[in-house]
Amino acid sequence: MEPVTEHADLSRSGSAQACADPSKGDRRAALREASTVLVSACLLGEACRYDGRSQRSERVLAALEGKAVVPVCPEVGSGLPIPRPPVDLCGGSGVDVWAGQARALEREARVDRTEDFKRGAQLALEAARNFGASVALLKEKSPSCGSQRVYESGVLRPGEGITTALLRAHDVTVVSDEEL
């Protein structure tokens, strides 16, 4: 697979990223105007979360009414199983993972899943490009899809996941399911 980050600026810090992102109102407006939306599959009812459950959201389904939907689960897309051990970011956010300064590690066994998560993020970006999705509606708190808060070393902290960081670096507007 060809890397898709060759022209992306993923070197910014989480706080600098927050300043560069569109406002909550602008993100919600982009979602309303989008005809095609990349969506975390778990929010659509797919049982693909690490614990084998879904996070089906009626608010998400209502927000997507009349739109073309591109479901993605970066973790499953990369080949990780369902269920699978929970993973936390360690050493920073998704931006820091792309900069080589943080990792994605299984919470208990500490198995490094960074490359799996990066591969899944690349597949999500390719799906957005292939289907013309300029907006993604993703599951908050996920090490892949979180856009405002992620678990870092077992603690919920401000930051973004690995997929969100890559999508944002390629001008995809990311909306959290918690913003609806």
Side-chain angles (χ1 to χ4, degrees):
M1 170 185 335
E2 298 264 340
V4 290
T5 59
E6 64 275 8
H7 299 294
D9 178 12
L10 288 168
S11 60
R12 59 199 187 271
S13 71
S15 59
Q17 172 63 28
C19 296
D21 283 339
S23 70
K24 178 179 177 180
D26 289 343
R27 288 190 303 270
R28 289 172 65 175
L31 176 61
R32 280 191 305 273
E33 295 167 11
S35 60
T36 303
V37 181
L38 194 75
V39 183
S40 291
C42 64
L43 296 173
L44 300 171
E46 289 291 322
C48 58
R49 281 175 33 109
Y50 75 93
D51 58 8
R53 298 181 316 159
S54 80
Q55 287 290 304
R56 181 182 167 96
S57 169
E58 296 305 319
R59 288 186 319 201
V60 166
L61 295 174
L64 295 170
E65 191 170 326
K67 300 181 182 307
V69 173
V70 181
V72 296
C73 178
E75 296 164 29
V76 173
S78 76
L80 293 174
I82 304 168
R84 57 193 169 273
V87 169
D88 287 344
L89 300 179
C90 296
S93 71
V95 169
D96 300 311
V97 167
W98 289 105
Q101 300 168 346
R103 310 297 292 160
L105 302 178
E106 287 183 8
R107 191 172 290 163
E108 292 184 19
R110 311 304 287 170
V111 173
D112 191 333
R113 296 295 181 195
T114 305
E115 292 308 313
D116 296 315
F117 275 67
K118 288 170 73 174
R119 184 173 48 255
Q122 290 172 333
L123 291 170
L125 177 59
E126 288 174 17
R129 287 176 168 171
N130 290 340
F131 290 95
S134 61
V135 175
L137 178 54
L138 303 179
K139 181 69 186 119
E140 195 59 63
K141 302 177 192 169
S142 159
S144 292
C145 298
S147 61
Q148 299 168 16
R149 295 172 293 147
V150 293
Y151 282 95
E152 182 190 346
S153 302
V155 177
L156 189 60
R157 300 182 192 272
E160 61 194 5
I162 295 167
T163 297
T164 295
L166 185 63
L167 292 173
R168 284 180 169 162
H170 288 274
D171 299 320
V172 174
T173 300
V174 177
V175 180
S176 166
D177 65 305
E178 294 182 1
E179 291 183 296
L180 302 179

